Amino acid sequence: MNSEYTAVTVIGLGSMGSALAAALLERGHPTTVWNRSARKAQALVDRGARLAATPEEAIVASPLTIACVLDYEALHTVLDPVAGSLAGRALVNLTSGSPEQAHEAAAWARSQGADYLDGAIMTTPPGVGSPEMMFLYSGPRAVLEAHRSALAALGDPCYLGADPGLASLYDAALLGLMWSTMTGWLHGTALVGAEKTEATAFTPVAIRWLTAVTGFLTTYASQVDAGRYPGDDATVDVQIAAIDHLIHAAAARGVDNALPELLKATMERARAAGYGSGSYASVIEVLRNPAVGR
Ligand code: NAP
């Protein structure tokens, strides 16, 4: 199973499943594929994939099956009728879902005698196959190690722990971070854009600023873990004064202020809870407990 060219089955050939299968083929893994709509397999067959006629035929072709369908409902629609064929094989589930769904799928796979690893893909299809891109995994480490070479063909495997729900939990947390960051960047882009600065001019400056922000995260992570927010760099009171400048500048230029107003309200709750002279990291207390500062 540690052979570099383990046979792999991919179930689900949407945008993502097709990219996964293509990356495995590219790396030289004998790859069997199955999709509800068989026509989507043609490009992969042209590149050397074997198209199975049924999910069962696909599963028994390889010691490792990677499933990537729309959601868990689709996953069970495909796999439940052929669950017995998973016995003694490994199922790596890259379908997005909740931690609870991952727990349920892990128990279901165990009950079928299958090894199960849950995963989350932290890229879009064009990034699949790049060693820069993270693939998060959770479940028994032995399953990841047994299939590491095939999984490394997809991206950099990042193991989070034995609890199968961790990959989905991190996925949700990281997507939240992505949306907050992208919306903050777009808000800034709209603000400078009101003065005729193009997004392409603003963005390199924004990216340099994000590098500084990553340093703040590292400092604040230790404060969060310690539950102490010294405020020796910038206090919540100072941040509230600063966000007023943003809100004023945006309002004066007709830019939507819902995002900064929300951020200000959250900081004000931290101040109301007694953290005005603490660091921004103290906002975690508000986020952990919706009753704090109200
Ligand atoms: P997609 O292009 O819409 O493909 C969906 C896949 O699910 C297709 O293979 C589709 O089969 C199958 N499917 C849907 N309903 C089904 C059902 N009832 N029975 C059997 N098969 C069914 O979506 P995708 O972008 O590949 O995403 C697949 C998974 O990867 C999702 O969980 C998504 O959240 C996750 N993901 C995607 C990205 C991304 O950038 N695209 C990034 C990270 C994670 P048919 O072809 O027959 O319709």
Side-chain angles (χ1 to χ4, degrees):
M1 209 113 4
N2 287 325
S3 143
E4 205 174 335
Y5 301 112
T6 327
V8 184
T9 288
V10 177
I11 287 189
L13 300 177
S15 316
M16 187 49 89
S18 294
L20 300 174
L24 289 162
L25 287 167
E26 179 71 28
R27 190 67 75 88
H29 290 273
T31 305
T32 299
V33 295
W34 181 87
N35 193 52
R36 178 180 62 174
S37 315
R39 65 186 157 74
K40 290 193 187 164
Q42 192 52 54
L44 293 161
V45 169
D46 292 345
R47 296 174 65 175
R50 190 169 85 77
L51 174 60
T54 63
E56 185 170 25
E57 188 185 310
I59 290 166
V60 300
S62 312
L64 167 65
T65 289
I66 296 174
C68 186
V69 291
L70 183 63
D71 54 22
Y72 276 69
E73 199 183 329
L75 183 78
H76 282 295
T77 301
V78 174
L79 294 185
D80 281 359
V82 296
S85 54
L86 284 166
R89 302 174 195 280
L91 173 64
V92 173
N93 180 26
L94 296 179
T95 303
S96 299
S98 67
E100 289 69 27
Q101 287 175 313
H103 285 144
E104 179 275 325
W108 173 85
R110 264 197 314 275
S111 74
Q112 305 300 329
D115 291 331
Y116 180 89
L117 201 60
D118 206 84
I121 304 168
M122 303 315 298
T123 185
T124 53
V128 172
S130 161
E132 307 286 306
M133 297 302 161
M134 280 193 301
F135 277 59
L136 308 180
Y137 292 105
S138 55
R141 186 189 271 278
V143 183
L144 171 61
E145 296 309 334
H147 299 286
R148 180 175 277 281
S149 75
L151 297 177
L154 310 177
D156 184 21
C158 177
Y159 180 70
L160 300 175
D163 177 341
L166 282 173
S168 293
L169 192 65
Y170 270 61
D171 185 31
L174 294 176
L175 289 175
L177 174 62
M178 177 188 76
W179 289 316
S180 302
T181 306
M182 292 202 304
T183 310
W185 164 70
L186 288 169
H187 188 268
T189 300
L191 182 60
V192 300
E195 301 280 344
K196 309 267 179 280
T197 297
E198 295 196 319
T200 46
F202 173 61
T203 299
V205 182
I207 288 171
R208 280 196 66 184
W209 175 231
L210 283 177
T211 305
V213 172
T214 60
F216 305 156
L217 301 192
T218 303
T219 301
Y220 289 161
S222 305
Q223 296 185 10
V224 168
D225 286 347
R228 285 196 304 276
Y229 317 106
D232 47 10
D233 51 357
T235 64
V236 167
D237 286 339
V238 165
Q239 306 275 14
I240 289 172
I243 204 164
D244 273 338
H245 304 319
L246 167 62
I247 290 169
H248 172 82
R253 287 159 184 78
V255 172
D256 185 274
N257 256 332
L259 178 65
E261 293 286 8
L262 171 68
L263 298 175
K264 182 182 174 188
T266 308
M267 290 181 219
E268 283 177 333
R269 285 175 53 206
R271 177 161 66 187
Y275 295 108
S277 58
S279 76
Y280 195 83
S282 65
V283 168
I284 189 85
E285 298 291 343
V286 170
L287 301 178
R288 277 179 176 153
N289 182 351
V292 164
R294 291 200 191 273

